[in-house]
């Protein structure tokens, strides 16, 4: 089922999931392609970014961003081509970074669109290494984590969009990078391709012991993007004056209830106190939007110099987005997950 | 039982407490007064400071400071007079701030001693408003909490040594100060004498509702010195971008086990993330020792200008120190708790 120039397929939120998203969560509509009015452009989606934060948007629990309304198009970052234009700023054929969501076509008045270069093959980088995930890794690690030369930085989902960059930026800063990933293949990639000092498989029965062994001098920066059992294993290894930027908690996103006791909330407070730890949540564009230019310049330079590698996990077909999102929440992707909605 | 110029009473740690310290925790020895060697001074204790951190020193759980050894003199900050001197830097009669611990007399080679002015009545301020508790309030609030004009600052133990200053410094910064204290008398003092905007009695059955009502715009800075049920009531009121300096967790110090579930460790992480909160533990002299001069100058100025009030809870007699420490851990003191070991 590929893109049809006459029809717009779009996924709307049908029902909020309880636990993992399921067959009732989204509904695929098939509608006529809309027509741009004066000042508008028609965008045709080429790439759709899938990211862990999307699970939060499906829920109406209090959060930093409003939930997707029932019946509304599911949100998401996109690379699109201008297909028809009644806006002189965006000529037909222009590639743009935008936020069209889970659909083939979208209208826009141009606000929030960023123009991209002509190379379709390179354009998906704007959703990954040069986009939100890269910016998240860069600011969280450097502004909150502040790794110093010789310190140990630990990050989970180490083969993923954010984690892979956290470790590589840590190495550029002269720190030791220890990754955590699911399975031997990902761990091999993290060490051999990305240059981390070590990578531990969180599925191993002796995971906590292996992590301790890989961090003989303790942990100075833990970049928190998963929570759950990984954080449990990290806690006893944290050094005095450690920093914990909190960018995500993917292990908890599908949880329907708090885990059983004992209640370790006070224990965590006690560790923060006695070890004088700084733990800080951040939402990348809300907290650091004004520094995007700085990030983009530095990351582009590192890419040119070959100092940063990245991997994309490209899934073909908009219709596969719901299943791919579930896979992402379970750690099944290998690299930045992107849906190729159309070939260009 | 008062000080005897020929005998040194000293409390040693006899047995680590399980839960609250009890009759077996300390043992009172009666020994000859020691004689200073060349380069040493003999100090006679006038005031002994009792502070919540002392509970941690009784335990051998991993912490930021080594525990008091079994059989060793219990530690504590003191104001003393030089009684005999073989050190030209410290003449007989000089008042000094030091760390003699729970005893009448101590030898010192002068290291770590700070000379105080001649006024005995004022000297105990060096253990409170101008000492460790004042410094803790000042740096924790201003460096980590960073209250802005119009923001809401909440602090518990609001009539105590640290809490009373946190609220008053918050007011000087133009913030709203909401205190929490145990009982109507303390709450009245906190509002009427110290000038907090409100003070909630944590013993009230509807404490959480009262706190919410006293913070109609939420909480921007929560200065954490108690933990437990107070933190539970604070959590849902925290604003986006709130800051939580963590200086103590007195509610947990005597706990012998973690509370029953559910496990809210991940919940706390989730709140830090979605509200982008900074939570940071600190140990005052370890983290801020180099800024003591700045604090001392500013606090002295505020005291002179009448902008800061403080209250001491003075208990007479070294022999009453164990009972007074237990009272402190239960919130029975009213103001900075100091043992008057001798009259001067």
């Amino acid at each position: 089922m590929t893109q049809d120039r006459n029809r717009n397929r779009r996924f709307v939120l049908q029902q909020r999931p309880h636990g993992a998203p399921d067959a009732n969560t989204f509904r695929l509509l098939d509608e006529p392609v809309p027509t741009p009015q004066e000042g508008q452009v028609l965008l045709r989606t080429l790439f759709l970014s899938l990211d862990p934060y999307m699970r939060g948007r499906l829920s109406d629990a209090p959060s930093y961003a409003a939930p997707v309304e029932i019946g509304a198009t599911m949100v998401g970052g996109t690379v699109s081509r201008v297909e028809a234009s009644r806006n002189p700023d965006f000529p037909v054929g222009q590639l743009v970074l935008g936020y069209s969501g889970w659909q083939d076509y979208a209208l826009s008045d141009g606000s929030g669109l960023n123009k991209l270069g002509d190379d379709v093959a390179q354009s998906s980088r704007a959703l990954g290494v040069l986009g939100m995930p890269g910016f998240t890794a860069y600011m969280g690690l450097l502004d909150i984590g502040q790794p110093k030369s010789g310190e140990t930085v630990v990050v989970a989902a180490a083969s993923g969009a954010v984690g892979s960059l956290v470790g590589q930026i840590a190495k550029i800063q002269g720190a030791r990078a220890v990754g955590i990933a699911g399975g031997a293949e990902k761990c091999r990639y993290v060490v051999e391709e990305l240059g981390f000092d070590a990578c531990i498989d969180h599925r191993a029965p002796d995971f906590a012991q292996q992590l301790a062994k890989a961090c003989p001098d303790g942990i100075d920066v833990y970049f928190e993007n998963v929570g759950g059992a990984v954080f449990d294993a990290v806690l006893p290894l944290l050094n005095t004056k450690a920093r914990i930027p909190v960018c995500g908690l993917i292990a908890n996103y599908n949880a329907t209830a708090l885990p059983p006791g004992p209640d370790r909330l006070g224990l965590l407070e006690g560790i923060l106190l006695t070890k004088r730890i700084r733990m800080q949540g951040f939402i990348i564009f809300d907290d650091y939007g004004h520094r995007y230019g700085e990030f983009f310049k530095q990351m582009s330079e590192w890419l040119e110099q070959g100092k940063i590698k990245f991997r994309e996990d490209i899934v073909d077909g908009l219709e596969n987005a719901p299943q791919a999102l579930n896979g992402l929440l379970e750690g099944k992707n290998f690299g930045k997950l992107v849906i190729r909605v159309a070939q260009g």
Side-chain angles (χ1 to χ4, degrees), chain A residues 4-344:
Chain A
D4 176 333
R5 299 273 170 140
N6 297 312
R7 307 296 297 174
N8 181 37
R9 297 170 303 166
R10 68 181 179 105
F11 277 105
V12 298
L13 179 59
Q14 177 169 262
Q15 184 183 297
R16 301 198 187 284
H18 182 74
D22 60 24
N24 295 319
T25 303
F26 300 106
R27 190 170 153 218
L28 184 58
L29 305 183
D30 188 289
E31 301 174 329
V33 172
T35 307
Q37 305 300 304
E38 184 58 35
Q40 289 186 323
V41 292
L42 175 67
L43 301 176
R44 184 165 62 87
T45 308
L46 304 185
F47 293 105
L48 164 66
S49 180
L50 293 188
D51 301 278
Y53 77 84
M54 290 173 165
R55 179 62 186 83
R57 296 291 200 284
L58 300 179
S59 161
D60 55 6
S63 187
Y64 52 89
V68 176
E69 298 291 330
I70 298 291
T73 305
M74 179 59 192
V75 296
T78 47
V79 169
S80 306
R81 196 184 283 289
V82 174
E83 197 68 7
S85 178
R86 296 184 65 184
N87 181 324
D89 291 342
F90 295 92
V92 169
Q94 174 74 52
L95 289 178
V96 296
L97 174 67
Y99 211 70
S100 294
W102 293 26
Q103 57 183 342
D104 286 311
Y105 290 92
L107 294 177
S108 167
D109 63 4
S111 58
L113 296 185
N114 282 291
K115 294 181 187 179
L116 300 174
D118 280 344
D119 188 344
V120 172
Q122 296 253 325
S123 67
S124 60
R125 291 160 46 149
L127 301 173
V129 64
L130 287 171
M132 185 271 286
F135 192 27
T136 298
Y138 180 92
M139 293 306 321
L141 182 65
L142 296 182
D143 195 66
I144 303 175
Q146 300 178 21
K148 291 184 258 308
S149 183
E151 288 192 333
T152 298
V153 174
V154 171
V155 64
S159 67
V162 175
S164 64
L165 298 172
V166 167
Q168 292 179 85
I169 299 169
K171 291 297 295 178
I172 291 172
Q173 306 301 311
R176 270 190 90 233
V178 175
I180 296 162
E185 192 193 349
K186 286 181 181 174
C187 282
R188 196 164 41 237
Y189 166 76
V190 166
V191 172
E192 291 177 12
E193 298 292 321
L194 300 182
F196 283 47
D197 296 278
C199 187
I200 313 299
D201 183 351
H202 64 77
R203 297 172 189 164
D206 61 341
F207 160 65
Q209 290 89 326
Q210 284 195 44
L211 183 65
K213 211 171 154 190
C215 303
D217 301 323
I219 297 173
D220 301 292
V221 179
Y222 172 56
F223 190 102
E224 175 64 297
N225 54 4
V226 298
V230 169
F231 190 49
D232 294 348
V234 162
L235 267 178
L237 305 177
L238 289 167
N239 286 334
T240 292
K241 300 289 264 180
R243 288 81 67 196
I244 308 176
V246 184
C247 104
L249 295 165
I250 197 167
N252 305 346
Y253 289 166
N254 280 337
T256 54
L258 294 175
D263 184 4
R264 297 179 302 155
L265 184 144
L267 174 74
L268 177 56
E269 275 207 282
I271 291 172
L272 297 185
L273 170 60
T274 56
K275 294 192 173 171
R276 302 132 67 192
I277 289 170
R278 174 178 177 182
M279 189 164 181
Q280 186 172 343
F282 70 104
I283 306 296
I284 186 64
F285 280 104
D286 294 13
D287 292 329
Y288 294 107
H290 58 292
R291 294 179 67 178
Y292 183 77
E294 168 196 333
F295 152 74
F296 187 86
K297 185 165 173 288
Q298 179 64 77
M299 186 60 80
S300 301
E301 200 179 299
W302 283 336
L303 285 169
E304 256 174 53
Q305 296 167 342
K307 288 184 178 171
I308 292 279
K309 294 179 182 175
F310 65 97
R311 177 180 174 124
E312 293 178 332
D313 186 339
I314 295 185
V315 172
D316 275 297
L318 178 63
E319 66 277 14
N320 295 316
Q323 192 186 341
L325 178 63
N326 271 9
L328 175 72
L329 295 171
E330 293 163 17
K332 288 187 180 162
N333 60 304
F334 189 170
K336 171 68 188 102
L337 184 58
V338 175
I339 301 288
R340 182 155 43 203
V341 180
Q343 290 286 350

